[in-house]
Amino acid sequence: MKFAIAIRNMGPQSNRATIRACARIAEQAGFDALFVSDHLCIPVDQTEGSGGRYLDVLATLAFLAGATDKVRLGVSVLVVPYRPAVLTAKQVATIQELSGDRMILGIGVGWMKPEFAALGADFRKRGAITNETLSVIHHLFSADAPGAYDGPLVKFPSFAFLPRPRRPPIWIGGNGTPAMNRVLKFGDGWHPMLPAAELKAKVEELNARARAAGRDVPEIVVRRGFKLEDIGGARAKLAAEKEAGATYFILDLGRYPDEQSFGKSVETFMTKVAN
C-alpha cells in the first residue's frame, strides 16, 4: 500500500507559508503524494471549517509543483462539470509538464447544487459532462495534434495540444455503478468514499469486471482520518482497509492548526502506524 496525505487548501491554514511548509514536510517524510480538495464558491451557510476560504486546486498544485521536487501532486477530487473540458485538459497538461510528470488527476461529478448554480453549470447533466470531459482529456493527450473532436456536448477542430506530457493517472471518485463504469472506460483508479465494511465486495466486483475486459485492475484509493493518539486503533483500521482491497491510502488529518502540528502527526503516522 502507498501512502499520501491531504493538505488543507481551505481555512486559515491555506496561506502561502503553511501550505508550502506542509508540502515540504510531506515530501521529506516519504509520502508518495499530497492532495488538495476542490470547491470554488461555498454557500455562506456551509462554510464551517473553512470560513469560506478556498484556494483553487489547480492553481495550488501549480504552486506546490514549484515548492517540491519529488512528491506527487493530486486533487481529491476535481469537480469537472464546473470547468470547460478543453481548458481543464490544458491546465492539467501544464501542471503535469511543469511538475515533471508528478500529477494525479482525481475527478468527481460534484454534489453541491448552489455551487453548480453559481458557476452556471447544469447539475442535472453533471454525469454526462464528466464523461465528456474525460473523453476530451484522453483525446487531447493522445497526440500532439489529435484531430477534430465531435462529441455530444463538446466539439472542436483539430489543433496543436502542446505541451503534451504523459497523461496523468486518472482516479474516479464516486461510490456507485456510474463511477465504476467510468473507471473501466476512462480511469486508472477508483476513489470511493465507502467504509471498509462495504468496500470489499465492490472492489471484488470492479476487479472482476476489469479482468473480464482484459485490462489491468485499477488502483483502489481511500481517504480517511485517524485518531493518532490511539495507535492500536489506527493500525487496526489501516489493516481493515487493506483487507477490503485498498491499495492506496490518503491520510486526512482534519483541521490541524499549523505546520508544527501537521509535522508531529505526520511523524506519528509514518513511524507508528504505516510501518
Side-chain angles (χ1 to χ4, degrees), residues 101-217:
D101 290 354
R102 289 190 284 143
M103 187 173 181
I104 300 170
L105 179 59
I107 69 93
V109 300
W111 59 273
M112 187 177 284
K113 288 185 178 180
E115 199 164 25
F116 275 83
L119 294 164
D122 192 334
F123 183 81
R124 296 168 300 175
K125 293 183 178 179
R126 65 194 187 281
I129 296 169
T130 297
N131 291 341
E132 187 86 341
T133 300
L134 288 168
S135 179
V136 167
I137 289 171
H138 276 271
H139 177 76
L140 291 176
F141 274 89
S142 69
D144 292 350
Y149 181 90
D150 187 7
L153 299 174
V154 179
K155 305 177 190 296
F156 51 80
S158 178
F159 62 89
F161 187 71
L162 295 168
R164 185 176 66 90
R166 179 175 59 185
R167 178 182 61 77
I170 296 174
W171 293 352
I172 308 295
N175 297 338
T177 299
M180 296 169 73
N181 291 341
R182 286 187 191 99
V183 174
L184 295 171
K185 186 172 183 179
F186 299 112
D188 306 291
W190 185 34
H191 185 10
M193 296 300 288
L194 293 169
E198 298 177 25
L199 183 62
K200 187 172 183 177
K202 292 287 189 178
V203 170
E204 291 173 350
E205 176 190 347
L206 182 62
N207 287 348
R209 291 180 62 189
R211 294 187 187 100
R215 55 156 293 169
D216 294 339
V217 297

Side-chain angles (χ1 to χ4, degrees), residues 47-271:
T47 59
E48 197 270 333
S50 70
R53 175 185 169 92
Y54 255 90
L55 302 180
D56 176 78
V57 285
L58 296 178
T60 301
L61 289 186
F63 170 74
L64 294 176
T68 56
D69 297 309
K70 298 180 295 183
V71 69
R72 293 202 288 171
L73 309 164
V75 51
S76 169
V77 290
L78 187 75
V79 185
V80 291
Y82 290 169
R83 301 164 171 87
V86 174
L87 174 62
T88 298
K90 171 58 72 173
Q91 291 173 323
V92 168
T94 299
I95 294 170
Q96 179 76 329
E97 172 81 5
L98 296 181
S99 69
D101 290 354
R102 289 190 284 143
M103 187 173 181
I104 300 170
L105 179 59
I107 69 93
V109 300
W111 59 273
M112 187 177 284
K113 288 185 178 180
E115 199 164 25
F116 275 83
L119 294 164
D122 192 334
F123 183 81
R124 296 168 300 175
K125 293 183 178 179
R126 65 194 187 281
I129 296 169
T130 297
N131 291 341
E132 187 86 341
T133 300
L134 288 168
S135 179
V136 167
I137 289 171
H138 276 271
H139 177 76
L140 291 176
F141 274 89
S142 69
D144 292 350
Y149 181 90
D150 187 7
L153 299 174
V154 179
K155 305 177 190 296
F156 51 80
S158 178
F159 62 89
F161 187 71
L162 295 168
R164 185 176 66 90
R166 179 175 59 185
R167 178 182 61 77
I170 296 174
W171 293 352
I172 308 295
N175 297 338
T177 299
M180 296 169 73
N181 291 341
R182 286 187 191 99
V183 174
L184 295 171
K185 186 172 183 179
F186 299 112
D188 306 291
W190 185 34
H191 185 10
M193 296 300 288
L194 293 169
E198 298 177 25
L199 183 62
K200 187 172 183 177
K202 292 287 189 178
V203 170
E204 291 173 350
E205 176 190 347
L206 182 62
N207 287 348
R209 291 180 62 189
R211 294 187 187 100
R215 55 156 293 169
D216 294 339
V217 297
E219 192 91 78
I220 305 298
V221 184
V222 296
R223 177 173 172 171
R224 310 283 194 229
F226 286 151
K227 293 182 178 179
L228 292 175
E229 61 270 22
D230 179 6
I231 299 301
R235 291 178 67 89
K237 289 181 179 180
L238 187 60
E241 302 292 349
K242 291 181 182 180
E243 173 63 24
T247 61
Y248 198 102
F249 182 87
I250 303 172
L251 175 64
D252 193 332
L253 295 176
R255 301 173 195 171
Y256 55 85
D258 49 40
E259 60 265 37
Q260 289 79 23
S261 175
F262 179 89
K264 290 178 181 178
S265 296
V266 160
E267 182 180 8
T268 298
F269 177 80
M270 292 300 273
T271 60

